[in-house]
Amino acid sequence: SSVDVKPVSKESFRTHICSVKCMSDTRFQYKESEHKTINPLMIPLVLGWERQVSKHKLGGRRKVFYLTPCGRRLRHLDDVHRYLRTTQSSMEIDFFNFDWWLHVFNEFKPSREFCTIKDLSYGKENV
């Protein structure tokens, strides 16, 4: 099944040097207490980022890009890391994945359950 994400309105890209201002709006800020129940790979999308998969005309090679809330296009994990540090974002680098075959909107549902345990950690982990 697929998960619905409400798009966050943002401005179109204007040439600028990224800084803390790019992520200063509260709509784009990560708060662990508010987002801990969301799939980690969905968190950037909920916070105004866009994940785009493109296919090259020749050879059909696919690439993943992330569009930041300020409109900058990031092509690699290094770019994401640099952007998160520059904007002083509290988001984790683990929230981003550049594998084209990964569908972040899909939610895993087992075909059948063998055993149901609501909390595998029995209260030891903050769920």
Side-chain angles (χ1 to χ4, degrees), residues 8-25 27-28 47-50 66-74 83 86-87:
V8 175
S9 60
K10 54 186 179 178
E11 297 177 23
S12 57
F13 181 72
R14 279 186 270 131
T15 304
H16 69 285
I17 296 172
C18 288
S19 68
V20 178
K21 291 179 190 174
C22 293
M23 298 281 282
S24 62
D25 191 318
R27 296 174 300 163
F28 308 137
L47 295 176
W49 293 63
E50 244 178 81
Y66 278 93
L67 271 178
T68 66
C70 69
R72 187 164 304 277
R73 180 182 269 191
L74 307 178
Y83 183 84
T86 300
T87 58

Side-chain angles (χ1 to χ4, degrees), residues 41 44 76-82 84 90-98:
L41 295 174
H76 305 284
L77 214 47
D78 291 342
D79 298 338
V80 172
H81 184 267
R82 190 176 310 108
L84 293 177
S90 59
M91 283 201 303
E92 303 283 337
I93 194 77
D94 297 328
F95 297 165
F96 300 87
N97 186 294
F98 285 86

Side-chain angles (χ1 to χ4, degrees), residues 8 25-48 90-91 95 126-127:
V8 175
D25 191 318
T26 55
R27 296 174 300 163
F28 308 137
Q29 292 176 0
Y30 171 66
K31 295 175 191 83
E32 187 176 355
S33 59
E34 290 179 23
H35 299 104
K36 69 181 179 181
T37 59
I38 300 172
N39 170 356
L41 295 174
M42 291 286 294
I43 291 173
L45 308 180
V46 170
L47 295 176
S90 59
M91 283 201 303
F95 297 165
N126 191 11
V127 193

